[in-house]
Structures are given as structure tokens and as C-alpha cells.
């Protein structure tokens, strides 16, 4: 992971904590892939993908979460849930961090997309 990506994940974790989320894991790795953040709030267990982009870039950062990436996150989340017993409802979120152009790391906008993609039927 590059430095900007790590800073984006740090920023997203702080943002979620201010919203009342409890960060349970960061950079959770499985054979299927990685989940950037796993956070709990109320009845939900959020598997969070963080996308950091520079302002005036092309498209929304969440658009970079392809169907293949979603599938890897789903499989990694499934493995997590098999290892960690919990009663919370799983959900898949994306946090978009949009930074200022030309400065080391200055978040301009943060968007939290709750339930950004859905669980497949029968999951």
C-alpha cells in the first residue's frame, strides 16, 4: 500500500470513530484479499473499503470498487465471520476520501456510503 492509501485509511478510521463506530480490525487479510476496515456500530458490522483520490480526478472513488473487488471483499468477510462469532448484521460500506491536489495529504471531502453493495442471495 502506498503512503496516500495508508493516510486515507487512517483518516477514514478517525471519521468512522467520530460517527460512533468501533474499529475492530484494519487491513484484515485472507487468502481472498484484504478488507481495509472492519467496524461495528449498533447492530451492524461494516466491512469497509476505503478509496482515496485526488480532487478533479475522473469519477467517484467508489466507482473503483469493481464487481471483482466486491467479490473478494465478500469472500474475505465470509471467512472473518466464520472465525469471529458475532450477532451483528454484516454490511458493506465504502468511504471515499478526496484530497487536495498538490499538497502532501489534505482531505477535502469524505463520503461514507453505507450499504454500498449488497450481499448475494442466500448469503
Amino acid at each position: 500500500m502506498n503512503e496516500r492509501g495508508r493516510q486515507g485509511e487512517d483518516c477514514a478510521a478517525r471519521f468512522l470513530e467520530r460517527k460512533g463506530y468501533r474499529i475492530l480490525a484494519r487491513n484484515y487479510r485472507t487468502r481472498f484479499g484484504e478488507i481495509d476496515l472492519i467496524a461495528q456500530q449498533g447492530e451492524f458490522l461494516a466491512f469497509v473499503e476505503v478509496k482515496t483520490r485526488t480532487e478533479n480526478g475522473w469519477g467517484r472513488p467508489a466507482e473503483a470498487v469493481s464487481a471483482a473487488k466486491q467479490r473478494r471483499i465478500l469472500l474475505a468477510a465470509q471467512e472473518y465471520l466464520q472465525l469471529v462469532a458475532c450477532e451483528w448484521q454484516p454490511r458493506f460500506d465504502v468511504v471515499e476520501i478526496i484530497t487536495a491536489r498538490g499538497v502532501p495529504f489534505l482531505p477535502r471531502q469524505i463520503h461514507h456510503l453505507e450499504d454500498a453493495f449488497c450481499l448475494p442471495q442466500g448469503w
Side-chain angles (χ1 to χ4, degrees):
M1 171 190 312
N2 66 30
E3 183 64 17
R4 186 173 286 282
R6 187 192 59 72
Q7 290 173 325
E9 287 179 8
D10 290 345
C11 180
R14 287 190 305 273
F15 175 80
L16 291 173
E17 288 173 332
R18 283 193 303 272
K19 287 181 71 173
Y21 285 76
R22 185 167 51 110
I23 305 300
L24 303 177
R26 294 180 66 149
N27 305 115
Y28 180 77
R29 296 179 197 278
T30 74
R31 60 191 165 132
F32 302 110
E34 178 184 302
I35 299 172
D36 294 332
L37 300 170
I38 300 173
Q40 181 267 327
Q41 183 193 44
E43 65 187 52
F44 292 102
L45 181 65
F47 296 95
V48 183
E49 177 69 9
V50 179
K51 288 296 179 191
T52 304
R53 297 289 183 268
T54 303
E55 65 186 347
N56 300 327
W58 297 356
R60 303 253 338 236
E63 293 171 1
V65 185
S66 66
K69 177 67 172 179
Q70 290 177 24
R71 178 165 168 66
R72 288 191 301 274
I73 293 169
L74 288 164
L75 291 170
Q78 217 169 18
E79 188 171 301
Y80 179 86
L81 290 170
Q82 288 173 353
L83 296 172
V84 179
C86 71
E87 299 175 9
W88 303 308
Q89 174 67 40
R91 187 178 76 201
F92 299 90
D93 295 1
V94 174
V95 173
E96 299 177 319
I97 310 288
I98 300 170
T99 63
R101 182 176 295 283
V103 295
F105 186 84
L106 177 61
R108 292 277 199 201
Q109 298 175 38
I110 302 173
H111 301 122
H112 179 199
L113 308 169
E114 295 179 354
D115 234 354
F117 54 95
C118 299
L119 294 169
Q121 283 189 328
W123 199 68

